[in-house]
Structure formats: C-alpha cells, structure tokens
Amino acid sequence: MTPTPQCPDLEVLFIELEAGEGPALDHAADCALCSAMLEEHRQLEKDLYRLADPLPPPTLVANVMARVATEPTPLRRELWSGVPILIASLAVGLGLLITNDRALSRLGAALASLFTDGKALLQGLASGANALWLTAAGPVAVLLVLLLIVSLTGLKRLVGTGPNPSEA
Ligand SMILES: [Zn+2]
C-alpha cells in the first residue's frame, strides 16, 4: 500500500495525535494505511517508555514470592536454628569456666609457675594440661569446637544453596 493523495502528512497526523483531535486524525480512523501507521507509532512509543521506565514490571513481586516459596531451605529457618546453637554453646562454655574455680586456679598456678620457676617449665606444662583434662574444661573445649564446626557447616551450606542474585 502506498499513501494516497488524500492521506495527510505524517507530521500533521502525529501532531494531531498528540493534541487528541483534528481532521488528519478523523481521516486515519477510516484509512487502513494511516491506522496501521498510527498503531506502529503507538507500539514504538510503548517500547520507548518501557526502556526509559526504571520501575520493574508489576508481576515482579509475585514472581519473587513464588521463587521464595519454592526454595528448599528457607534462609530464615536455617539462620534461626544456627543462632541458638552458637548462643547456647558460648553460654555453657563461659558459665562452666566461670563457676569452676578449681579449673581456673589450677590453670592460673600452672601459668604462674611458667613465669616464676624456669626449672618447672615442663612440669608446669604437664600439670596445666592435667588440670584441663581432669576438670570439665577439657571436654567443654572439645564440645565448643564441635558445636562451632556444626554451626559453620550449617552457614556454609546456607551460602551454597542460597538464591543467587545473578540468576534472577
Ligand atoms: Zn490515510
């Protein structure tokens, strides 16, 4: 199809489109060629708006929520199960060390002998290790390390399976 002599100039047509009324626009309503031209212009304008619009599409929130719902290990549940373990292990360890005077005094004596009596260096080391093993401090230390490893493993797994922003 080629523009007929009755068809208005495109520039006039688009000016009247902006204005919302005019003889060229009235003609376009009945002319297939001009209607097609206007429709093409509308689509182009829509694409330009979409490019210039920084706002995400209205379906984004729904898509994100659906994605979160299908995640096998929700971030919050993993986090909330890890935090009490860390707090409990720290509290138990600190509580036992503070309330166990025997362990602290033996450890202090062993350390003091290291600095005051050079000849008792090896003895001091041995008794210090003994004090730790004989009291609860040793098992507690092992327990603390185990709990820490469990917590760190959980956090590492969390990072590994967490949603990757670059894949969105
Ligand atoms: Zn026309």
Side-chain angles (χ1 to χ4, degrees):
M1 276 197 286
T2 51
T4 61
Q6 302 100 304
C7 280
D9 194 68
L10 275 179
E11 205 176 323
V12 175
L13 190 61
F14 289 145
I15 286 168
E16 287 185 11
L17 185 69
E18 290 291 323
E21 58 178 350
L25 212 57
D26 290 340
H27 159 84
D30 297 324
C31 175
L33 185 72
C34 290
S35 307
M37 203 70 85
L38 281 178
E39 181 56 28
E40 199 180 317
H41 176 75
R42 258 190 223 107
Q43 288 298 329
L44 197 69
E45 206 170 46
K46 215 156 66 173
D47 286 345
L48 283 173
Y49 271 126
R50 204 176 292 147
L51 280 175
D53 195 353
L55 288 173
T59 56
L60 184 80
V61 173
N63 287 342
V64 169
M65 291 313 286
R67 236 183 116 103
V68 167
T70 55
E71 282 292 325
T73 51
L75 191 87
R76 282 176 57 177
R77 201 195 300 158
E78 292 262 340
L79 214 60
W80 283 116
S81 66
V83 166
I85 291 172
L86 272 173
I87 291 173
S89 60
L90 285 173
V92 168
L94 278 174
L96 277 176
L97 277 177
I98 287 166
T99 54
N100 201 327
D101 289 341
R102 205 160 131 250
L104 281 177
S105 61
R106 279 217 208 177
L107 197 65
L111 283 171
S113 72
L114 274 177
F115 294 105
T116 53
D117 195 352
K119 281 183 271 183
L121 182 69
L122 287 171
Q123 274 185 341
L125 275 174
S127 71
N130 254 347
L132 280 174
W133 281 115
L134 287 172
T135 61
V140 165
V142 172
L143 193 72
L144 277 174
V145 169
L146 278 175
L147 283 170
L148 196 67
I149 289 169
V150 168
S151 303
L152 286 176
T153 308
L155 285 173
K156 233 169 118 182
R157 202 158 57 85
L158 195 153
V159 170
T161 57
N164 194 345
S166 66
E167 283 178 3

